[in-house]
Structures are given as structure tokens and as C-alpha cells.
Amino acid sequence: MNYKRSYCPLTATPFKRNPSYAEIAPDRQLQYHIRCFWGTEQPFVQTAGDNASTIVIPDTCADIIYNIDYTDNTVSGGFCGVNDHSFYAHGSRKAGHLVSTFAIRFYAWAAYAFAEDSLKSTLNGYSEVGSRFEWLDKMLRPRLLELKTLQEKASYAEKLLMMRAQNPKENEIVENTVNNILMHKGSLAVSNLAKESFVSSRQLERLFHEYIGITPKKLSNLIRYQFLWKDILFEPDFNILSAVHKYGYTDQAHLLHEFKRYHSMDIRGAKILAYRDVANIQEIRA
């Protein structure tokens, strides 16, 4: 069974949908590679308040992000590698300018399929799109000023990516190991992952650095955290002790410490922030 198709990592504010942030699901052919296209639905006039900071948690994804300024007639873009800690992103666009954002959110293990270079040293990094996705940047960036809506941008980017997806660069050992990590919800030791892929732990780490930019252990921990975060939000009777057993944490303190390390706040605070965009929430239970 391919567990990658059912894995759906969440942001810190997974219910957030408004004109300044919307998501579009990719075509079925790209669903294994791309979590979503996201950005602003329409160009809007930037105000000082629109530059407020937002928290970004480790979502086991890597993003190509373009900021389009129609007033200055410029498009700036960057590739954000996988993050293993949360941080606050601050807007830097000019007040009074007509702007929009367009981004492609790849699953951590799938960005390499479209890249022209290794993803080594991309963990927590930000670089020019062209440094690893020159082919895509050359075809997509010039069109972003004329494509106004998020749907128009996503449809064009999707066509480019679908052509590339016909012959993606993939590694069978990495693919099978990621699937194994997801099947065990991040609780399997690296030695066991390596054994099941018939390679040494050191060789597996080298492959993960090349194709994902992160170690198998760190990716496993982040995937476990994402499964935990989903349970916290969607299980009405979420129980910490049950989660400790379910995901192989040492004890309750271990679970709480790791969650706060990745999320930068405790479970109650995380739920309050996540549900802030949902109407008629009567009670948020920690």
C-alpha cells in the first residue's frame, strides 16, 4: 500500500481560508508530489497590517514561493527547504502596492523529482528558485504578472509540472523508506528502516540528504509530530497517554516536550491558534 497518497500534513492554522490565503489541490497525477498550490486569490493593495507575522510549523513540506508586485512590475521567488523547527514569517511588501503571492507546496520527498540539483543542505534554508528549479523558474516567473488569479497561476504551473512528472527523478530506496516511515507513523528506528531497505544506516542517511535534505530520523520525528497534531485537532476524545503509546514516545513528558519544541507553544495554545479561523467553536479542550 502506498501511504504517501493518504498523508496530509497540516499547518499551524489549517482552517485558515480568506482572500489573502487559499489552497488549491493539484491534479490527481500530481497528488503524490504536491500537497497544494497556495497564495492570494486575487491581487490586492498591500497595507501595513498585511505584513503581520505568521507562525510556520514543520509541515514536512518544501515550498517554492513567488511574491508578485504589479506596481513595481517585479516577481521575486525563493525555495524554502524542509524545516525542523517553527518560526515566524514576516511580510516585507510595500504598503500601497498591488501585490499577490503564488506558491507550490511539495511533499518533502517529492521536490527532488522536479529539481535539477541535489537537495543537500536545504534544511531550514531559503535560496533562489533558479538555483535548483531553473527550468520551472524560466517558464513560470515571466507569466506570473499576467496571470492574475490563484486558479490561473495554479493551472499554468500544473501543466508545467505534469510534463516533468512523466519522467521524474526518484530513488527506489528513498521512496520505499518514506512509505515505511508513514506506515509506522514515524515510530520505527532508523536501523530498522535501513534493514528493511537492505542498506546500511549510513547509506540511507546519505540518500536522504541527497533526495530530501534531511536525515531519516529527523523526517520520522517530524512525521510522527504531524500525525500527533492531526489527532490533537480532529479526535474529540484525544488522550495524551494513549498518544504516547500509539506513537512510541517514552512518556507523557517526552510527547509534550517534543510537541512544544516543534510547535513553539503547548497543545492548548496550538489549538486556540488553529481554531481561531473557525466560527462557532464553543470550547477548545486541551
Side-chain angles (χ1 to χ4, degrees):
M1 179 176 176
N2 192 332
Y3 289 86
K4 304 185 196 78
R5 294 194 181 278
S6 60
Y7 178 64
C8 187
L10 303 173
T11 64
T13 53
F15 309 112
K16 181 180 180 181
R17 298 292 185 276
N18 57 49
S20 66
Y21 182 86
E23 295 180 0
I24 294 177
D27 181 271
R28 182 176 177 80
Q29 184 179 336
L30 292 173
Q31 285 178 359
Y32 159 68
H33 297 96
I34 296 173
R35 168 68 177 83
C36 66
F37 299 101
W38 61 271
T40 48
E41 290 184 338
Q42 300 273 358
F44 67 98
V45 177
Q46 179 79 19
T47 66
D50 293 325
N51 280 325
S53 62
T54 57
I55 188 170
V56 179
I57 62 172
D59 61 359
T60 62
C61 291
D63 296 69
I64 290 176
I65 305 174
Y66 286 103
N67 290 306
I68 303 117
D69 190 317
Y70 301 93
T71 303
D72 281 346
N73 206 41
T74 59
V75 179
S76 59
F79 172 67
C80 302
V82 177
N83 288 292
D84 66 353
H85 64 268
S86 60
F87 63 93
Y88 283 87
H90 302 271
S92 58
R93 295 178 295 198
K94 300 175 183 177
H97 283 223
L98 186 67
V99 298
S100 71
T101 299
F102 174 68
I104 305 167
R105 181 170 293 152
F106 298 96
Y107 292 106
W109 53 84
Y112 186 91
F114 303 97
E116 295 167 309
D117 198 3
S118 163
L119 294 187
K120 191 179 297 183
S121 302
T122 58
L123 179 65
N124 301 319
Y126 182 87
S127 58
E128 284 295 318
V129 179
S131 65
R132 287 181 172 83
F133 302 87
E134 184 178 10
W135 72 272
L136 178 63
D137 193 47
K138 281 184 174 180
M139 290 191 281
L140 181 57
R141 186 190 294 252
R143 295 291 306 277
L144 291 177
L145 282 165
E146 61 183 87
L147 299 169
K148 292 298 190 289
T149 68
L150 177 61
Q151 184 62 65
E152 289 172 338
K153 296 180 178 77
S155 296
Y156 182 69
E158 191 170 66
K159 289 178 183 178
L160 300 177
L161 292 164
M162 285 177 70
M163 288 189 294
R164 194 80 168 193
Q166 294 174 10
N167 188 29
K169 299 184 302 176
E170 295 175 342
N171 180 280
E172 186 176 356
I173 292 173
V174 173
E175 296 297 306
N176 290 339
T177 302
V178 169
N179 195 57
N180 210 6
I181 292 172
L182 291 169
M183 179 173 65
H184 292 90
K185 296 181 170 59
S187 63
L188 205 60
V190 174
S191 58
N192 290 332
L193 290 170
K195 184 178 180 181
E196 293 195 16
S197 293
F198 304 102
V199 296
S200 67
S201 296
R202 184 172 295 181
Q203 183 181 353
L204 190 62
E205 287 205 5
R206 283 200 300 269
L207 287 170
F208 266 61
H209 275 299
E210 172 75 16
Y211 283 82
I212 305 178
I214 191 172
T215 66
K217 179 177 176 59
K218 192 161 286 187
L219 181 63
S220 294
N221 287 342
L222 293 176
I223 285 174
R224 177 169 67 172
Y225 153 73
Q226 272 291 328
F227 274 109
L228 173 65
W229 178 221
K230 187 173 183 178
D231 285 356
I232 289 168
L233 288 178
F234 294 109
E235 286 194 1
D237 300 317
F238 173 75
N239 181 275
I240 291 178
L241 293 178
S242 296
V244 167
H245 175 73
K246 180 179 181 179
Y247 295 115
Y249 288 97
T250 306
D251 51 29
Q252 181 174 324
H254 180 209
L255 181 153
L256 294 174
H257 174 76
E258 186 160 293
F259 180 86
K260 191 170 185 178
R261 179 161 65 93
Y262 287 138
H263 216 98
S264 78
M265 61 185 74
D266 62 20
I267 289 175
R268 179 174 175 79
K271 289 179 70 175
I272 290 172
L273 178 65
Y275 282 113
R276 186 177 59 186
D277 298 298
V278 181
N280 301 318
I281 295 296
Q282 300 298 322
E283 180 182 5
I284 299 173
R285 293 176 293 177

